[in-house]
């Protein structure tokens, strides 16, 4: 597997996505923050600062997820529909390199978006004179780092679905993964509450298969300026990287078996 070829695919994919006006997301986020800073003081009292911090982090996560899902599902599917994949495959490039390069390219775009939105976020909080809890800034930065890992999982899932189905269906399936991944622990609890062995087995199975995205959601901790233990943070980071690797391996396996 050639690192240079993967880097070239990633760089080309990065430029292609940037040209798709995805940077308008940053402008939209700035508008959201301006509206939040204008309205929240009027509807909240003692919790105003916490709500502003939480809403900003939530908006970064939601907008990043939308880009990961809607752009990610079309990365390979678009090449297949336009038949440009027929030009790429005969070249000295493996299908694995194509998948990994596309993933890295979109993840690079998402890192730029998260960094830009984070800059606007912090400037907005400083301008609004929001009172931070001690340790809030490091906690927020760590939560944004783990959000980036979550977005990497979503891109990998979008690629895995996009290599064998239509863009629309892949988008719906990836969005389902996003929602269920954030509520997978609640599904397990619902299974226990049901007192039904079959339902418990089913919810446990879903929990093992679906990504537990709540492990990477540190937003509530960041609002109060706290962080989980270092061992837990490392374990969650490894979990995210392993899950990305598994999803990319599945995408490569499916894509390698497709005939064009």
């Amino acid at each position: 597997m050639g690192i240079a070829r993967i880097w070239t695919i990633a760089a080309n994919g990065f430029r292609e996505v940037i040209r798709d006006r995805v940077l308008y997301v940053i402008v939209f986020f700035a508008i959201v923050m301006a509206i939040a800073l204008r309205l929240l003081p009027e509807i909240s009292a003692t919790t105003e600062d916490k709500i502003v911090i939480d809403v900003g982090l939530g908006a970064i996560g939601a907008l990043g997820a939308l880009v990961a899902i809607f752009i990610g599902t079309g990365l390979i599917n678009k090449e297949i529909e336009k038949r440009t994949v027929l030009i790429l495959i005969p070249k000295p490039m493996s299908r694995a390199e194509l998948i990994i390069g596309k993933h890295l390219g979109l993840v690079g775009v998402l890192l730029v978006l998260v960094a830009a939105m984070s800059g606007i976020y912090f400037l907005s909080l400083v301008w609004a004179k929001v009172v931070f809890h001690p340790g809030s800034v490091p906690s927020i930065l760590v939560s944004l780092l783990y959000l980036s890992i979550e977005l990497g999982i979503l891109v990998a899932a979008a690629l895995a679905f996009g290599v064998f189905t239509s863009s629309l269906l892949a988008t719906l399936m990836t969005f389902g993964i996003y929602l269920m991944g954030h509520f997978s622990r609640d599904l397990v609890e619902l299974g226990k509450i049901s007192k039904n062995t079959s339902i418990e087995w089913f919810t446990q199975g879903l929990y093992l298969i679906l990504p537990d995205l709540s492990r990477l959601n540190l937003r509530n901790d960041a609002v109060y300026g706290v962080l989980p233990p270092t061992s837990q943070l490392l374990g969650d980071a490894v979990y995210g990287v392993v899950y990305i690797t598994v999803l990319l391996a599945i995408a490569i396996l499916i894509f390698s078996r497709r005939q064009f």
Side-chain angles (χ1 to χ4, degrees), residues 105-128:
L106 183 50
V107 167
V109 172
L110 289 167
L111 290 177
V112 170
L113 288 179
V114 170
M117 289 189 288
S118 300
I120 295 172
Y121 173 69
F122 280 113
L123 287 174
S124 300
L125 295 182
V126 171
W127 178 79

Side-chain angles (χ1 to χ4, degrees), residues 174-192:
T174 309
F175 190 68
I177 289 288
Y178 173 71
L179 291 179
M180 296 182 71
H182 277 284
F183 295 103
S184 56
R185 293 185 181 181
D186 295 328
L187 289 175
V188 174
E189 293 302 319
L190 286 174
K192 292 178 180 178

